[in-house]
Amino acid sequence: MLPLVHVLGNPQRDWLFQDDNALPHCARIVTDFKLANGIRTLNWPAVSPDLNPIELVWDDIKRRIYRAPLV
């Protein structure tokens, strides 16, 4: 991510990184890396509705598979 961000703008001024507050994204090593590289993070609630439309599609596919009769 960083090489592209530096080409397209200043990460400390032009960019906000959004993650989903999953435990791996909140680990101290990740937080320290973001701070050391000037990566600003968008505040996002830990338990929030998923706004990514593809997640709705995957959920529908999983439900259909689980309801399908076993052959």
Side-chain angles (χ1 to χ4, degrees):
M1 171 186 98
L2 282 179
L4 179 62
V5 167
H6 285 292
V7 169
L8 298 176
N10 181 342
Q12 297 163 340
R13 183 191 69 229
D14 300 328
W15 297 93
L16 279 174
F17 183 73
Q18 179 182 349
D19 60 35
D20 59 3
N21 287 328
L23 289 177
H25 301 156
C26 298
R28 179 170 301 267
I29 191 169
V30 175
T31 303
D32 291 346
F33 177 83
K34 289 185 219 176
L35 287 172
N37 288 281
I39 298 170
R40 299 179 308 141
T41 304
L42 180 66
N43 289 331
W44 196 257
V47 180
S48 64
D50 200 335
L51 300 177
N52 184 351
I54 194 66
E55 296 297 332
L56 299 173
V57 174
W58 286 122
D59 183 56
D60 185 52
I61 290 171
K62 284 190 272 187
R63 289 174 192 266
R64 290 175 190 225
I65 289 172
Y66 289 131
R67 281 191 302 229
L70 296 175
V71 180

